[in-house]
Structure formats: structure tokens, C-alpha cells
Amino acid sequence: SSLTNLIFESNMGGIVDQRSEPARGRYILIIEPFTQILQVNVPGFITGRFRVAAPQARDVLYYEIEPEERAPDLISVIFNVEPGDATLYLDDQLTEANQTVQLGPGTHQVRLEREGFRIIEDAVTVSPENILFSYEMEEIDIVPVNILSNVTGARVVIDGTERGQIDRGGGLGLFLYPGTYVLSVSSTGYVTRNKTLEVSEEGDNRFTLDLQRNIGELAMDVTPSDAMLTLNGEVYSGENLIELTPGIYQLTVQKQGYESYNSVIEIVLNERLEKSVTIERNVGELVLKLIPSDATVELNRQDYSGQHLVELAPGRYRLDVQKQGYAPYSESIEIVRNERLERNINLEAYTGSLQFSVSPSNARVSLLDENGETVTNWQGVNVLRELKVGTYTLHVEAPGHIPVEETLEIIKEQTHEHYVALTEGTPWDWEKETKTEVVEVTNPKTGRVWMDRNLGASRAARRSTDAHSYGDLYQWGRAADGHQLRNSATTSTLSTRNQPGHRDFIIAHIRTNDWRNPQKNNLWWGVDGINNPCPPGFRLPSDVEWEDERQSWASRFRTRNNASGAFASPLKLPMAGLRGGSSGSILSVGSRGYYWSSSVTGNHARFLHFSSGSAYLDSFNRAQGYSVRCIKD
């Protein structure tokens, strides 16, 4: 319009938004998709009205509006209408009935509408002598109407009022007065459709309005295939064909260590967009060769220990390599895309000295590192310089004396003075004093080979309570040094060595958890375990191996998951009881069985337990005295 102050109204309240650009003479109205009368008011001009009939969603309609200036020769006219709330249109413009209106002389078109009444259409001639027009509308009956559609559950809206949903039969039955209506059918995922209905008094008022899926398709080919694909922030990873509502989307493809891909795409109704995206690697490589190999590695304070080939995003990093007992190493490195950076780092070990003396002077000495590897051997007194800092074990033995093992700590730039006095006596002889004959037995279900009796037993069990089959009771991790005998003496002094150097059962407070202080976890690991009490070729079973055995005799019948199942198994396990780690008392003999494994958990060790009611794996403190059954390696 050339006018700059237009004011719009809708008889159905159907204006959603108005965007005005008066300087350009343009007005944009966003309206609901149903039939309505739009009224245009401009001061000093005749009110303009126009009817928008059955607009469809997404329609763009254009109108040019040039209101007429209010003429001085207008005539006041009254239209008397019964019923009084009927809708009156004069020249297709909505007008209030039973009210005075200003009309120019001449012929005018009249249309009256009211639900439940027959529509009246007429032409009247207005003049100074002809200013009153009266109409009485005729009532009509409602008629059945069927709305049909292809989508079950679709919403049916008539003239802006929801009237129900399409049922499973594909229809909705209702009653309407004859006349003109705007029908709207909608459902999630479908394009809303509108249609003008002409409902007649007679005939088949069946109207079909099928819906079309409101989707387009996106076919994606992404390399690498495990990259994360998002559309407007929603993840669609792993989907090759994606159905989407038409519109604009932000497409992102990303993966750690790769360049991200970003693009804006448009999905069009009923069209397929094919998109192929390959993202490029965005990493460089860092190759580390370390001495010692178990040193810890940090890059920008993030732990990468144990990784000799590290992939990193390009950029600068702080590399820190350290290990206790060694001088730390640090430098700033730069990682370049698609390039490899190699670093050979040899940490300088901190060292100290050992000044060693022994009695008797002809004792033989072995120095072992914290991994159990022999560092050096000698006899008698010795001074060792430039020893790497850390924990070491001294194994000292001499003819006619009981051998001992002691732990020592070498500290940076300090001399450790260590003296060992061996006790005269005969070392414990496993072969002579355990008297455990090695007889092998195989469990056909697990395929594992075991000794047929407990360590220290004189025979395999003939019943669950066979005392000759009970054998000895070992504290976890101790060697066969005599402590395991059921009548061995006790002491409350904890040992600081792997071999205490005596035959006493060491009593530990329940909160101490162990006969050794500090604890050591690998004393019974494997046939080469430091204190493996089993005969050559045999070792303590792991908790997993014990569980496999228990399952082999407990899985078929739940009632065999107990002491009966333990004895019925090829191992013939008796209820040998235990020796309390905090008291030294022999307990539960003939009523329970306790069998150590080589496995540890926290401060405790794992063991198999069974009684007349149940059998299971558990864990408890290592000072306890339990049975040992050896498995072949």
C-alpha cells in the first residue's frame, strides 16, 4: 500500500505476527491457515475488508490495498437480521448486523451466514429513500459428515476447533450444519493440510484429506565410520540414511585426533540429500624409549605411563619423566601434524652405599632388588658403592646356621650400615620334615593337575573329617619354616623379613592383617615365588583356579556346593579347620575347610571356604593359618 499507517484486524483472531516496513509500503502478516476476514483501518479513509479463503500452510499471498477516502455523500443504512448474531458480509467485507453502516448509493452485495441456518445471498440498491433492509434466516438441521485420511490418530480441526482424531478405520464421523467450513488435518511427522468443505443438506458428505510425510532424507557416507555425526547438536552416529523434517541443519562430523567438519545443509520435503564426508587425521606421534622402562610419563600433567607410541593433537607439550630413585627429566616439545618425534630418555639413578658386616664371617650373601633379581653375591664383609636407591633384600646363609632374609633401604647419597648375626641351628628341611608325598590327581572337568592331599598330610582324605588328611596350617606368604605345624610355638613380634628366621607362628592383631610388616604381595606368586611352600613344579592356586574347581563340583546340584561337594570332588578336600591369626588357637576342625590361594586383595588374601551348608571364595587377613593344596604349574 502507498499508505503508511495501516491497522489490521482479523474477525477470527487469526493474526499471529505483523512485520511492518511502512517506508517501503510493505506490510507482512503471519496468519493462521483458516478462512478469515481481514479488516484494514486508516484514519480518514473507508474501512477496507477482504476475505482470505482456505489458505494452506506455507502459502504466500499478495494483496494491494488502496482504501478509498471517506466520501461526503455516504448514506446511513441499517440491516435488520434475525437471528441477531448472524454474520453479515457487505461487498465481501465483514459488517456488524443490526447496526448503522455508511454506504455509498448504488448496488451492494449482501451475504448472511449463521451456523444452523441457510445462507442468504442478496443484492440491494441503496439510495436516500432505501436505507432499511430486513432478513429472517431459515433454520436447517445438522447432517452426518465423514472425514477420511490415511494417518491413524491425525488431528481434525474444523474452523479452528479440534473435533477429534482419525480412528483405526481411517475416518472420523461427526455432525455439521450445511455450509462452508475450513478443514485442517495434522499429525506429527506429516505436512498439515487444509481444505474448504461444502457440506450439503443432501448427498454423501464424505471428504478425504490424505497427509504426506513431512520428511526429507539425508544419506551419509562418513570416513572414518566411527566418527560422531551430529545434526543441530543431536547425535546420529552410525546411521547411514537419516529421515529429517525439512529445514536448515548444522552438520558436524568429529572424532578425537581428527579435523572437525562443519557444514550447513538444507533438507527438502520428499528429496534425498547425499553427503560424503572424510575427515583428516589431526595428530602427530611421540615415540618414547625410556630407561628405566617403567618410569612414569606425563604430558601437560596427563599420565601416559606405559605408552611408547603416543598420538597427540598438534601443539606444544611439557614432557615430564620420573621414577623414584632417579633424577627427573623435563622438556618442552612441539607435536607437528603427521610428523613423528622420537625421544630417547635415560634417567640418571640416585645412588647410595651399603657397608655390610656379618657373623660368622664366612657367611654367603646375595643382594636382590625389589623385583627379586640378584644384584650381586659375596662372602663376609663388603662395601658396595653407587647402589641405586630403593628397597633391597639380603639373603644370608652359612653352614650350621639358620639362613635369614632381611630388607634394607638405600637412600640417596647416604651410607647404610647393616649387620647380620646368624643363629646357630639346622635350617628347616622341607623334604624331611613335611613328609608330604607327591601324588597327582586330575580334575577331568577343569583339566588341572593337583596334589591329592594337603601339605603336611600323611594321606589323601578318606572322609571329610579324616584327621590324617588335615595337614599343616600356613600363614599366607610364609615358607615351610616350621610355623605351619599345628603345635608350633607362637610369638607376637611381627617380621620385617620374608623369612623370619624362626619357626614360631606369628600372632598379629586383627587390624594389622599380616605377620609381615611391611606387607609384600608376591611371596606366593608362581613356582618361583619367594616363599613357595609347594614341592618342585607345584605352586599355590589362584583364586580363579579355586573358583573353577568349586564350580566343577557345585554347578550340577546346588546341594553339592558345600563340604560334601568338596570331598566328592577329585581333590577330596577335608574340613581341616584353621589357626587364628590373632590368637594362635586351632578352630573349626572337622566342621569347616579353609584353603589359601596365591591371590591378594588390598591388605587381605583370597581363600576357598566350605562347610556343611555352603562353599564360596572370600578374603581375610594374612596372619590366619589355613590349609595349602598345591596345583601343578
Side-chain angles (χ1 to χ4, degrees), residues 20 81 91 93 97 113 137 152 175 177 218 272 284 291 315 325 344 420 477 581:
S20 301
V81 180
D91 299 329
Q93 295 186 4
E113 297 179 357
M137 302 183 71
T152 300
F175 290 92
Y177 289 102
L218 173 62
R272 175 178 291 184
I291 299 177
N344 296 323
V420 174

Side-chain angles (χ1 to χ4, degrees), residues 150-182:
N150 61 332
V151 179
T152 300
R155 297 171 57 247
V156 175
V157 176
I158 295 178
D159 283 351
T161 301
E162 187 166 347
R163 304 298 294 267
Q165 296 180 343
I166 300 297
D167 60 27
R168 293 184 179 181
L172 171 66
L174 44 82
F175 290 92
L176 297 173
Y177 289 102
T180 301
Y181 299 87
V182 175

Side-chain angles (χ1 to χ4, degrees), residues 333-555:
I333 61 172
E334 183 171 4
I335 299 299
V336 180
R337 180 180 178 183
N338 295 329
E339 293 188 10
R340 172 174 288 188
L341 177 65
E342 295 186 358
R343 282 291 184 270
N344 296 323
I345 301 172
N346 190 346
L347 297 183
E348 180 181 353
Y350 292 134
T351 62
S353 301
L354 170 63
Q355 182 176 310
F356 178 81
S357 55
V358 64
S359 175
S361 60
N362 63 341
R364 295 184 301 276
V365 185
S366 295
L367 182 68
L368 291 75
D369 63 19
E370 58 187 8
N371 297 317
E373 300 292 332
T374 300
V375 177
T376 185
N377 299 300
W378 71 88
Q379 186 171 1
V381 232
N382 196 9
V383 175
L384 300 177
R385 305 185 190 281
E386 295 187 354
L387 277 178
K388 292 180 181 178
V389 300
T391 303
Y392 292 85
T393 299
L394 282 169
H395 180 83
V396 186
E397 59 182 26
H401 294 75
I402 298 174
V404 298
E405 279 193 359
E406 295 189 358
T407 301
L408 58 88
E409 186 80 18
I410 298 298
I411 300 173
K412 175 184 175 184
E413 298 178 355
Q414 293 186 20
T415 299
H416 179 80
E417 297 181 2
H418 201 94
Y419 172 71
V420 174
L422 297 182
T423 303
E424 292 186 3
T426 305
W428 178 266
D429 189 334
W430 184 90
E431 293 289 346
K432 292 181 180 180
E433 303 202 37
T434 60
K435 299 182 179 64
T436 308
E437 183 181 356
V438 177
V439 178
E440 295 182 359
V441 63
T442 302
N443 185 331
K445 291 186 178 180
T446 64
R448 301 312 304 261
V449 178
W450 298 74
M451 288 179 63
D452 73 338
R453 64 199 69 189
N454 294 349
L455 282 187
S458 60
R459 67 186 183 195
R462 297 178 181 176
R463 58 183 180 278
S464 288
T465 56
D466 181 0
H468 296 288
S469 68
Y470 289 161
D472 298 329
L473 298 173
Y474 283 78
Q475 294 186 291
W476 190 93
R478 285 190 70 173
D481 55 11
H483 83 282
Q484 73 275 13
L485 300 180
R486 292 178 179 243
N487 60 356
S488 63
T490 62
T491 179
S492 59
T493 302
L494 301 186
S495 176
T496 59
R497 304 179 300 192
N498 296 333
Q499 286 87 37
H502 57 73
R503 303 178 183 182
D504 296 340
F505 187 91
I506 299 175
I507 294 173
H509 191 279
I510 192 168
R511 286 177 293 184
T512 307
N513 294 314
D514 208 334
W515 55 270
R516 190 188 193 285
N517 185 24
Q519 289 187 307
K520 197 162 188 175
N521 291 334
N522 63 349
L523 297 176
W524 273 359
W525 287 358
V527 292
D528 296 324
I530 297 170
N531 284 343
N532 179 20
C534 296
F538 286 81
R539 58 173 170 79
L540 269 290
S542 68
D543 59 348
V544 174
E545 289 167 328
W546 266 133
E547 178 63 11
D548 289 343
E549 292 298 316
R550 187 190 70 81
Q551 291 286 349
S552 75
W553 44 265
S555 59

Side-chain angles (χ1 to χ4, degrees), residues 44 78 87 132 159 208 293 301 311 316 329 350 365 378 468 502 525 555 588:
I78 295 179
T87 301
L132 177 63
D159 283 351
T208 300
S293 60
R301 298 183 181 272
E311 292 185 340
R316 297 199 66 81
Y329 175 90
Y350 292 134
V365 185
W378 71 88
H468 296 288
H502 57 73
W525 287 358
S555 59
S588 301

Side-chain angles (χ1 to χ4, degrees), residues 8-213:
F8 296 90
E9 296 179 3
S10 168
N11 71 314
M12 300 291 289
I15 298 177
V16 176
D17 191 15
Q18 175 176 330
R19 306 169 188 170
S20 301
E21 300 177 10
R24 299 176 57 188
R26 183 166 72 170
Y27 298 80
I28 300 174
L29 303 183
I30 310 299
I31 65 172
E32 297 280 2
F34 49 74
T35 299
Q36 53 191 294
I37 302 296
L38 296 181
Q39 178 173 294
V40 186
N41 295 308
V42 185
F45 290 79
I46 297 175
T47 296
R49 296 180 179 87
F50 59 92
R51 186 168 183 258
V52 182
Q56 300 294 308
R58 298 186 178 84
D59 279 354
V60 180
L61 309 175
Y62 295 88
Y63 294 88
E64 185 172 347
I65 300 173
E66 293 296 334
E68 298 179 12
E69 291 192 41
R70 196 176 299 278
D73 58 349
L74 293 179
I75 301 172
S76 296
V77 180
I78 295 179
F79 289 86
N80 289 329
V81 180
E82 182 62 36
D85 59 351
T87 301
L88 169 64
Y89 294 97
L90 291 176
D91 299 329
D92 284 334
Q93 295 186 4
L94 182 64
T95 306
E96 289 190 41
N98 301 312
Q99 298 289 330
T100 300
V101 295
Q102 302 294 319
L103 295 176
T107 302
H108 296 273
Q109 299 299 318
V110 177
R111 179 180 175 89
L112 289 167
E113 297 179 357
R114 169 69 161 80
E115 186 177 58
F117 292 81
R118 195 179 308 281
I119 294 174
I120 295 177
E121 293 185 328
D122 191 18
V124 297
T125 300
V126 174
S127 66
E129 296 79 20
N130 197 19
I131 60 172
L132 177 63
F133 303 94
S134 297
Y135 296 94
E136 184 174 350
M137 302 183 71
E138 178 186 357
E139 284 192 78
I140 55 177
D141 292 329
I142 58 175
V143 295
V145 176
N146 287 294
I147 308 299
L148 307 177
S149 186
N150 61 332
V151 179
T152 300
R155 297 171 57 247
V156 175
V157 176
I158 295 178
D159 283 351
T161 301
E162 187 166 347
R163 304 298 294 267
Q165 296 180 343
I166 300 297
D167 60 27
R168 293 184 179 181
L172 171 66
L174 44 82
F175 290 92
L176 297 173
Y177 289 102
T180 301
Y181 299 87
V182 175
L183 166 67
S184 176
V185 179
S186 63
S187 181
T188 302
Y190 291 81
V191 177
T192 299
R193 290 196 60 194
N194 299 309
K195 183 176 183 179
T196 299
L197 306 184
E198 294 292 343
V199 178
S200 62
E201 293 184 61
E202 299 178 355
D204 184 14
N205 289 307
R206 298 169 63 88
F207 304 95
T208 300
L209 196 58
D210 287 340
L211 300 182
Q212 182 182 36
R213 288 291 302 276

